[in-house]
Amino acid sequence: MPTVTQDLDIWTLVVHASFVVKIVLAVLVAVSFMSWMFIFQKWFVLRRSLNQTLKFEREFWGGQDLNALYQGAVNHRHTIGSLERVFEAGYREFAKLRSQTGTHAADMVDGARRAMRATFQREMDFLERHLSFLASTGSVSPYVGLFGTVWGIMHAFRSLANVQQATLAQVAPGIAEALVATAIGLFAAIPAVVAYNRYSHDVDRLGNRFESFMEEFSNILHRQAVR
Amino acid sequence: MTAATLAYGVYGSRPRPAMGRAAALSALVHLALVGVLFLGVRFQNSPPATVTVELWDQPPPPPRVEEKPPAPPPKPAPEPEPEPQVKKPDIALKEKPKPKPKPKPEPKRDLAFEKQLREQAMLEQKRLDDARREREMRELIARQQAAARDKALRTWTDKIRDKIRGNIILPQDIPGNPEAIFDVTLLPSGEVLTVRKGKSSGHAGYDDAVERAIMKSSPLPLPDDRTLFQRRLELKFRPQDR
């Protein structure tokens, strides 16, 4: 006895979809893949950066000699965290200026500050990298999915024009096909938006930490320069 | 070039940490999504099918095997007492010693025979049981096949009636829900050859509407299983069954 029920699973929906809808689906899947990849990567990077920052702050305020800290930072240049890089750049500039004779204390501190500011910008850029991708994924992919859906529904209704008697059964599969595009768009967008908000908040907090460190370190350098 | 830029090399070429791990995790997330979609989303699309419920009697209980109580084993015949041996006289008399009386073989033969009988009866019974079971099985299968065929046929006629019903333009004033029966002759391609009114609904307008709808619906849908095709169909319509 032939079976009278036909299964409409996701695969048949995707296979029967029109060409444009297939392209939209492929784009969305690729975007979703990249967005998840950046979500995980940023998560690792930010967690690591926070740990490194905490560790360096402990070391710095633990009363270690600045020279020893600087040497340690130079020796592990490729593995140190952002805050340590800022410190390294500032202290290097300060040491250079101090070795020249006849530099004012205020100029030394200003030079160190500028060096730290430059490194700070670079580090912030590193931490914020790919965040804009998450932001645009979050805002654009629902529209892309919607476009696929609208296109699919247009197709579904066009097939309706050839029959005299319109039933729901003639459009329902087409509409279901089309809605898959919206579903995937939302699947790409929602995590991206959540991750973007979370990570930009984390990056802001790290930036604040770095900035306050720079101020405090400038004070220490000023004290050293005056002495 | 300052030492600070040396640390990263050229701007932007800083290694991207943990990208491979992130890509693997991302792939994992998408595999999970695909799995959920495939397993979780399954729409069912079935034409309106008639529900057939068959109430079957329980198969009759197997006839009780009349078990004869096993015949009590026959009592062994009392052994004849051995005759007291006569003391041999010193002088040997030419006399043969009497042979010892054998125990009668009869009871043993009797036992074996009984056993044989019982075995035979059991075999017979078993054969009967097997035959009966097989017969029941065959009946059951036949009944199931008939039911399946019946259901497929009904699904087909339902499909036909669905199509026709969509074409009926109902007159406004039909009292009640009268039934009209039409005999339709089909060509194997599904085209309608003749329509004959089998039983009028009592409302001429409705009868005409149904007849027009049948003609308009030609060709009618064919059954999924072509062997079910029948040239003559009896279709029943009621104005209010939708």
Side-chain angles (χ1 to χ4, degrees), chain A residues 96-131:
Chain A
K96 267 187 204 159
L97 289 173
R98 195 163 56 176
S99 64
Q100 295 170 0
T101 48
T103 318
H104 273 283
D107 292 343
M108 284 189 225
V109 173
D110 276 352
R113 251 200 166 153
R114 278 193 295 273
M116 285 197 287
R117 173 66 51 183
T119 312
F120 168 75
Q121 299 286 5
R122 216 170 277 131
E123 289 304 318
M124 288 309 281
D125 175 68
F126 168 72
L127 289 178
E128 276 172 358
R129 197 198 270 179
H130 304 315
L131 276 191

Side-chain angles (χ1 to χ4, degrees), chain A residues 202-219:
Chain A
D202 284 358
V203 170
D204 276 353
R205 284 183 62 199
L206 277 173
N208 284 338
R209 264 191 133 108
F210 296 165
E211 276 189 331
S212 32
F213 172 82
M214 275 154 58
E215 298 300 317
E216 287 162 339
F217 187 49
S218 301
N219 279 339

Side-chain angles (χ1 to χ4, degrees), chain A residues 28 31 136-147 181-182 184-190 192:
Chain A
L28 283 176
V31 165
S136 13
T137 301
S139 51
V140 171
S141 59
Y143 294 119
V144 178
L146 194 62
F147 168 69
T182 303
I184 298 202
L186 289 179
F187 175 77
I190 293 169

Side-chain angles (χ1 to χ4, degrees), chain A residues 2 4-9 11 32-33 36-38 40-41 45 77 85 92 119 122-123 125-126 129 187, chain B residues 3 7-8 11-12 14 16-17 19 22-23 25-27 29-30 33 37-38 42-47 166 224:
Chain A
V4 289
T5 63
Q6 55 193 47
D7 288 340
L8 270 184
D9 61 3
W11 183 246
S32 166
F33 181 83
W36 273 97
M37 190 169 81
F38 289 140
F40 282 119
Q41 193 246 0
V45 165
R77 178 175 286 160
R85 284 174 204 268
R92 176 185 293 114
T119 312
R122 216 170 277 131
E123 289 304 318
D125 175 68
F126 168 72
R129 197 198 270 179
F187 175 77
Chain B
Y8 324 129
Y11 173 77
R14 184 162 163 166
R16 303 169 166 204
M19 213 48 143
L25 281 172
S26 170
V29 167
H30 286 85
L33 171 76
L37 282 183
F38 270 79
R42 209 163 254 284
F43 311 102
Q44 286 255 314
N45 179 17
S46 56
D224 293 334

Side-chain angles (χ1 to χ4, degrees), chain A residues 76-88:
Chain A
H76 304 98
R77 178 175 286 160
H78 295 290
T79 55
I80 56 177
S82 304
L83 188 58
E84 207 161 355
R85 284 174 204 268
V86 172
F87 161 79
E88 184 209 351

